[in-house]
Amino acid sequence: MASRVNDQSQASRNGLKGKVLTLDTMNPCVRRVEYAVRGPIVHRALELEQELRQGVKKPFTEVIRANIGDAQAMGQRPITFFRQVLALCVYPKLLSSPDFPEDVKRRAERILQACGGQSLGAYTISSGIQLIREDVAQYIERRDGGIPADPNNIFLSTGASDAIVTVLKLLVAGDGRARTGVLIPIPQYPLYSAALAELDAVQVDYYLDEERAWSLDIAELRRALCQARDRCCPRVLCVINPGNPTGQVQTRECIEAVIRFAFEEGLFLMADEVYQDNVYAEGSQFHSFKKVLTEMGPPYATQQELASFHSVSKGYMGECVQAQRVVVVKPELVENFPDHCHGSTVPDPLPRPASTHALPCRCGFRGGYVEVVNMDAEVQKQMAKLMSVRLCPPVPGQALLDMVVSPPAPSEPSFKQFQAERQEVLAELAAKAKLTEQVFNEAPGIRCNPVQGAMYSFPRVQLPPRAVQRAQELGLAPDMFFCLRLLEETGICVVPGSGFGQQEGTYHFRMTILPPIEKLRLLLEKLRHFHAKFTKEYS
Amino acid sequence: MASRVNDQSQASRNGLKGKVLTLDTMNPCVRRVEYAVRGPIVHRALELEQELRQGVKKPFTEVIRANIGDAQAMGQRPITFFRQVLALCVYPKLLSSPDFPEDVKRRAERILQACGGQSLGAYTISSGIQLIREDVAQYIERRDGGIPADPNNIFLSTGASDAIVTVLKLLVAGDGRARTGVLIPIPQYPLYSAALAELDAVQVDYYLDEERAWSLDIAELRRALCQARDRCCPRVLCVINPGNPTGQVQTRECIEAVIRFAFEEGLFLMADEVYQDNVYAEGSQFHSFKKVLTEMGPPYATQQELASFHSVSKGYMGECVQAQRVVVVKPELVENFPDHCHGSTVPDPLPRPASTHALPCRCGFRGGYVEVVNMDAEVQKQMAKLMSVRLCPPVPGQALLDMVVSPPAPSEPSFKQFQAERQEVLAELAAKAKLTEQVFNEAPGIRCNPVQGAMYSFPRVQLPPRAVQRAQELGLAPDMFFCLRLLEETGICVVPGSGFGQQEGTYHFRMTILPPIEKLRLLLEKLRHFHAKFTKEYS
């Protein structure tokens, strides 16, 4: 210590000082944060794009970013109705233009009237505009077959990530108490591992069963919980349904079992349901934790604490919105299919079909919400207080969320175009999910579970032992080595499975199904071809 | 402990369980967070508004929210140019409409071309759209008389709050090391106290000198630092300039002294400059820390670490944007006055006049940025990583920031209307700052420093000892008691000084200068009258 002081004095005399903030002195929790979805591979992809622009010769002409679920960057057109309403909200002079349908104008006026000074530019109350929270509550009620939702239990947020971190903040221990353990699925969406590292909570991994289409097994939950008890105080169970990156959709039985488990073990439930509107596979259906919990009756319905998250940044129809379900059996039926999300309050008269179907999104608007169930009233006040420090979620995202939870009704002028645009996206996405699974499973050494929901595939790749060895020599995870080589040789950007977590000795990558179908076909073929070449090279 | 287990088993047999998350088990750091700007007084204001709507009789007909700097909620009209460009970005079909000027279209096209898939709905890179960061860098260069700014040192954010918390996160200790001390001004903007409580850092108060127009005194900084050393490791010095809630503007000499102090004491500097475009008083001028630091030369210019914050949520011209300065001597000169912010790269040919002038804003869009100077390169990578976990700042806010840092140039068709709208707002704001100071200082028992900048007054009120005693009986801070009574009897909502911090035994409140001038006059008169009545009642 004394010598450091001397060094400093010396440095000071020379006018040279060390930095206040260095890798050694910075918050070690932040250092431990990792976030693969925007990690080194994406950084390299950006560099390659720049090199291409500068005319550097590459074995490819463009970088295809299949690393992130960003529909509009992939060329998907926005839904006209959403954009028209938003344009009118932004520039209300257009309300007198003859070029916009009447229902678009009514909708914009309704949103503007709910804003301070009738302007999107005013702050809103911290939990979000009251009218929009009421619309979200009605959407949830329709989704859950009439089970009531209280707008006071709904908090709007800047995308789902923001709300998830806020709830986690309440649950971590602080002040030198035993650290809070949080059970998360592996593979997981790395927001969870990143937030837990930052908040200095303990990540408790439970493994999804790849052999059974990434299903969630209660015995595995119990194993994880028991093993965690000696190193932390496990208090939270996170479930991602539909799965990200794994694309599975939980059965109702599974959700019931998870709720019973959480109740018995005294765990706070966090249900990440941001892909609830993106369910593709026949026989798969989305069940909300809120609905199942309520239908299970007491004590679960009355006591089990739950926070359920949605996001405008994902959801269906290329408009970054998570809050709308589209229910179809076959794409050609979409146009005629009644949708529980219409603004009308008439309940959906048809039974839920065997297959549901929904779509990707727009992400730049960053809207979302969390609904809390059975939360302690005092804690809920604390949550509202914490959210108020950031003043309010961005208002354009709030407005977009409102349109998504209450799209045009069949009687309204915008309905027909809205449905047509939706159908186009729907049909293509269903085809892309299928194509992805097919092409991968025809390739030797690649195996892909069905893409039941969300918008990613997470195929498993066999890597030859010599490739694994070479990666280790380079200090890289083997699947990172594979993905980096893939990027350098083909321009295809996917995220290595090690960024999401996977069983020791297995290797995966996450790839979105969002590129236009012809581009996706080419991409899948290139990928298959590259894997074969890579395997040969290291065999 | 054993008895608690028995209690739990018993409860379990009855199907009754305690909540996982209660006030006792929740994160104590979150419990300690306080945020007066949206605290109990605002809660009560909302209730009163609801009661008025329900027809409950009150001694007033409307609640006037003078608690928060939200120009558009106060009826200020948005700037046409900003809204037109944003509408075209949101709904690009309007690009072919004859109703929009050519420069608006060119601007929208330029922003869209910089977005993924040419859509605001796509994610952007985590630090924000490259083009916009380049435009911000050019804005900073013009502001600072040509001192270079590197787009790679600029990170866009969701309002300034988001960026401030991110930088603080890097600086806190974590892992059981000595807690980080952060020096903040008192009175302060309570984002700081809230963030420090949440991050479990130590708040080190230095007092601004009310007798000398809230100036910053180095001796007081030194006192605060010395006294803090035995309870924490002070590593950060925050300065808010122009002041919030205090409205003072630091002199260049003061800023130089602060920089020397930070350098000598090894402190990381955080300069909250979100009101840099809102400078009203004659003789006051904004100096950026970046410019002063650079002009001081080595070792300061080359070594002192600095993060400077701006926000689209505040700044000038009722459009929630912090990043544009308007320089005027008298309002009538505005139209002819060259502005360093114009898109042109020609430096401002005129000397900076003695008085600068600028305006409030639109807040719902939530855009902002931080520029880091002399930050360790590895730490800067860590900061980029941390920001990437939240994916990206909302894109509409990014687009708005771009327009604000490069408004129409004199040669462009939108220039004239833009200038006229700006002048209208400018003239009114200057008048309102003056009026506020005048009326308060004419009232016995109220004293108000000049509102040199930002958009708040922070007058000191004398409260009679019996009122103080009554407040204590009610368990309230005396100024909270005063503000609550004011709200109940007049409908005027202001924030008590205790929410910002003040010298023991002094009482203040923060009030915005944003209401329309006739309403403001009425409000000031009512306030003066209420204070007289209150004083009489408790004398």
Side-chain angles (χ1 to χ4, degrees), chain B residues 21-297:
Chain B
L21 188 58
T22 65
L23 276 188
D24 290 335
T25 62
M26 73 175 281
N27 183 348
C29 296
V30 172
R31 270 191 80 173
R32 283 193 290 266
V33 167
E34 284 181 20
Y35 191 65
V37 174
R38 297 221 162 187
I41 200 122
V42 181
H43 198 77
R44 181 63 191 141
L46 280 170
E47 284 176 358
L48 285 172
E49 282 177 340
Q50 212 148 18
E51 290 176 24
L52 281 174
R53 273 196 300 272
Q54 290 160 355
V56 181
K57 275 257 176 337
K58 296 279 166 198
F60 48 88
T61 54
E62 69 166 328
V63 172
I64 302 176
R65 299 208 211 163
N67 59 299
I68 195 162
D70 189 351
Q72 291 195 5
M74 282 294 178
Q76 189 175 308
R77 285 212 321 273
I79 299 287
T80 304
F81 175 76
F82 293 169
R83 291 310 191 91
Q84 285 180 330
V85 174
L86 208 51
L88 266 55
C89 288
V90 164
Y91 187 53
K93 267 193 186 155
L94 291 171
L95 284 166
S96 58
S97 156
D99 301 336
F100 292 85
E102 278 312 306
D103 59 338
V104 165
K105 293 182 185 178
R106 277 197 309 275
R107 190 64 63 91
E109 278 167 350
R110 182 170 178 268
I111 292 172
L112 286 172
Q113 272 160 19
C115 292
Q118 304 215 1
S119 168
L120 286 201
Y123 286 129
T124 72
I125 67 167
S126 304
S127 52
I129 294 170
Q130 176 70 18
L131 174 87
I132 297 179
R133 287 184 296 128
E134 286 166 8
D135 288 347
V136 170
Q138 281 181 23
Y139 159 80
I140 295 172
E141 287 187 14
R142 290 193 300 271
R143 178 196 74 184
D144 290 345
I147 291 171
D150 183 343
N152 294 317
N153 294 337
I154 292 163
F155 298 83
L156 308 191
S157 59
T158 311
S161 307
D162 176 40
I164 290 169
V165 173
T166 299
V167 172
L168 282 174
K169 268 183 199 166
L170 297 172
L171 283 154
V172 299
D175 262 4
R177 291 193 284 191
R179 287 161 78 207
T180 293
V182 179
L183 282 92
I184 64 169
I186 297 295
Q188 53 122 9
Y189 176 58
L191 166 69
Y192 290 94
S193 49
L196 297 179
E198 190 187 319
L199 294 170
D200 203 23
V202 177
Q203 174 180 329
V204 179
D205 298 343
Y206 66 89
Y207 286 84
L208 300 174
D209 187 350
E210 184 167 15
E211 302 310 313
R212 296 193 298 129
W214 300 114
S215 69
L216 197 169
D217 179 39
I218 300 296
E220 166 59 11
L221 272 184
R222 186 158 285 127
R223 176 207 62 78
L225 182 71
C226 290
Q227 289 184 5
R229 288 213 195 274
D230 55 359
R231 59 190 173 109
C232 63
C233 173
R235 302 174 70 200
V236 192
L237 169 55
C238 298
V239 178
I240 310 177
N241 179 47
N244 177 2
T246 40
Q248 83 287 14
V249 178
Q250 309 290 359
T251 62
R252 189 185 164 102
E253 295 65 42
C254 172
I255 293 171
E256 282 188 17
V258 168
I259 291 170
R260 268 192 298 271
F261 176 80
F263 183 78
E264 281 158 18
E265 301 294 347
L267 298 171
F268 188 103
L269 258 176
M270 289 176 65
D272 179 338
E273 299 176 324
V274 301
Y275 289 101
Q276 69 186 257
D277 306 312
N278 297 52
V279 177
Y280 304 95
E282 271 195 42
S284 291
Q285 190 183 337
F286 172 77
H287 303 275
S288 78
F289 269 80
K290 161 94 178 291
K291 179 166 193 266
V292 176
L293 183 82
T294 311
E295 290 176 350
M296 285 168 74

Side-chain angles (χ1 to χ4, degrees), chain A residues 15-17 19-28 30-33 35 38 46 68-70 72-73 80 83-84 86-87 89-91 94 100 116-117 119-126 165 169-173 175 177 189 191 194 198 235 263-264 266-268 299 303 305 313-314 320 362-366 374 376 378-379 382 385-386 388-392 394-396, chain B residues 15-17 19-28 30-33 35 38 46 68-70 72-73 80 83-84 86-87 89-91 94 100 116-117 119-126 165 169-173 175 177 189 191 194 198 235 263-264 266-268 299 303 305 313-314 320 362-366 374 376 378-379 382 385-386 388-392 394-396:
Chain A
L16 269 174
K17 283 197 167 191
K19 302 265 184 206
V20 176
L21 188 57
T22 64
L23 276 189
D24 289 334
T25 63
M26 73 175 281
N27 183 348
V30 172
R31 270 192 79 174
R32 283 193 291 265
V33 166
Y35 192 64
R38 297 223 160 184
L46 280 170
I68 196 162
D70 190 349
Q72 291 195 7
T80 303
R83 292 309 190 92
Q84 285 180 329
L86 208 52
C89 288
V90 164
Y91 187 53
L94 291 171
F100 291 85
S119 168
L120 285 201
Y123 286 129
T124 72
I125 66 166
S126 304
V165 173
K169 269 182 196 165
L170 298 172
L171 284 154
V172 300
D175 261 5
R177 291 193 286 190
Y189 176 58
L191 166 69
E198 191 186 319
R235 303 174 71 201
F263 183 78
E264 282 158 19
L267 299 171
F268 187 103
Q303 293 182 52
E305 293 150 87
S313 307
K314 293 288 166 187
C320 254
R362 300 243 129 169
C363 314
F365 284 96
R366 315 294 293 126
N374 291 325
D376 179 87
E378 289 303 316
V379 172
Q382 295 282 328
K385 177 191 73 178
L386 186 60
S388 77
V389 178
R390 305 294 178 86
L391 296 171
C392 73
V395 187
Chain B
L16 271 173
K17 284 195 167 192
K19 302 266 185 204
V20 176
L21 188 58
T22 65
L23 276 188
D24 290 335
T25 62
M26 73 175 281
N27 183 348
V30 172
R31 270 191 80 173
R32 283 193 290 266
V33 167
Y35 191 65
R38 297 221 162 187
L46 280 170
I68 195 162
D70 189 351
Q72 291 195 5
T80 304
R83 291 310 191 91
Q84 285 180 330
L86 208 51
C89 288
V90 164
Y91 187 53
L94 291 171
F100 292 85
S119 168
L120 286 201
Y123 286 129
T124 72
I125 67 167
S126 304
V165 173
K169 268 183 199 166
L170 297 172
L171 283 154
V172 299
D175 262 4
R177 291 193 284 191
Y189 176 58
L191 166 69
E198 190 187 319
R235 302 174 70 200
F263 183 78
E264 281 158 18
L267 298 171
F268 188 103
Q303 292 182 51
E305 293 150 88
S313 306
K314 293 287 164 189
C320 254
R362 299 251 127 166
C363 315
F365 285 98
R366 317 293 293 125
N374 290 326
D376 178 89
E378 290 302 316
V379 172
Q382 295 282 329
K385 177 191 74 178
L386 186 60
S388 78
V389 177
R390 303 295 177 85
L391 297 168
C392 73
V395 186

Side-chain angles (χ1 to χ4, degrees), chain A residues 236-364:
Chain A
V236 192
L237 169 55
C238 297
V239 178
I240 309 175
N241 178 46
N244 177 4
T246 39
Q248 83 288 13
V249 178
Q250 308 290 359
T251 63
R252 189 185 163 103
E253 294 66 42
C254 171
I255 293 171
E256 282 188 18
V258 168
I259 291 170
R260 267 193 298 271
F261 176 81
F263 183 78
E264 282 158 19
E265 301 293 348
L267 299 171
F268 187 103
L269 258 176
M270 290 176 65
D272 179 339
E273 299 176 324
V274 301
Y275 289 102
Q276 67 186 259
D277 306 310
N278 298 51
V279 176
Y280 303 95
E282 270 195 42
S284 291
Q285 189 184 338
F286 172 75
H287 303 275
S288 79
F289 269 78
K290 161 97 178 290
K291 180 167 193 267
V292 175
L293 184 81
T294 311
E295 291 177 348
M296 284 167 76
Y300 312 102
T302 49
Q303 293 182 52
Q304 176 60 45
E305 293 150 87
L306 167 70
S308 155
F309 303 90
H310 259 219
S311 165
V312 197
S313 307
K314 293 288 166 187
Y316 101 68
M317 62 180 78
E319 196 58 90
C320 254
V321 195
Q322 204 61 12
Q324 161 130 5
R325 175 163 320 108
V326 189
V327 182
V328 291
V329 184
K330 292 177 188 158
E332 60 270 30
L333 292 182
V334 177
E335 195 159 350
N336 304 314
F337 208 85
D339 186 326
H340 78 129
C341 296
H342 295 146
S344 108
T345 52
V346 183
D348 183 346
L350 288 191
R352 179 66 47 90
S355 155
T356 62
H357 198 173
L359 337 179
C361 73
R362 300 243 129 169
C363 314

Side-chain angles (χ1 to χ4, degrees), chain B residues 345-498:
Chain B
T345 51
V346 184
D348 183 347
L350 289 190
R352 179 65 47 92
S355 156
T356 62
H357 198 172
L359 337 180
C361 74
R362 299 251 127 166
C363 315
F365 285 98
R366 317 293 293 125
Y369 73 81
V370 53
E371 183 190 17
V372 295
V373 178
N374 290 326
M375 184 179 256
D376 178 89
E378 290 302 316
V379 172
Q380 200 161 323
K381 279 187 202 158
Q382 295 282 329
M383 180 165 147
K385 177 191 74 178
L386 186 60
M387 286 185 147
S388 78
V389 177
R390 303 295 177 85
L391 297 168
C392 73
V395 186
Q398 294 189 41
L400 191 55
L401 178 65
D402 191 66
M403 293 168 235
V404 168
V405 296
S406 43
S411 60
E412 292 183 309
S414 298
F415 181 75
K416 208 172 156 190
Q417 185 180 0
F418 175 78
Q419 286 293 74
E421 290 175 355
R422 179 159 74 170
Q423 178 177 5
E424 190 188 327
V425 180
L426 272 166
E428 187 159 326
L429 272 168
K432 291 193 279 196
K434 201 125 213 163
L435 178 71
T436 301
E437 185 189 336
Q438 250 168 16
V439 176
F440 279 141
N441 285 329
E442 283 164 10
I446 305 185
R447 231 207 63 197
C448 183
N449 271 323
V451 182
Q452 296 173 331
M455 46 202 201
Y456 312 100
S457 64
F458 195 68
R460 179 165 167 180
V461 280
Q462 281 177 20
L463 301 182
R466 277 191 48 227
V468 174
Q469 195 187 332
R470 181 74 190 118
Q472 281 158 352
E473 287 162 16
L474 295 166
L476 293 171
D479 47 11
M480 173 64 91
F481 177 54
F482 173 80
C483 291
L484 276 172
R485 285 282 310 272
L486 175 73
L487 176 63
E488 295 290 342
E489 295 186 24
T490 67
I492 297 170
C493 181
V494 298
V495 190
S498 46

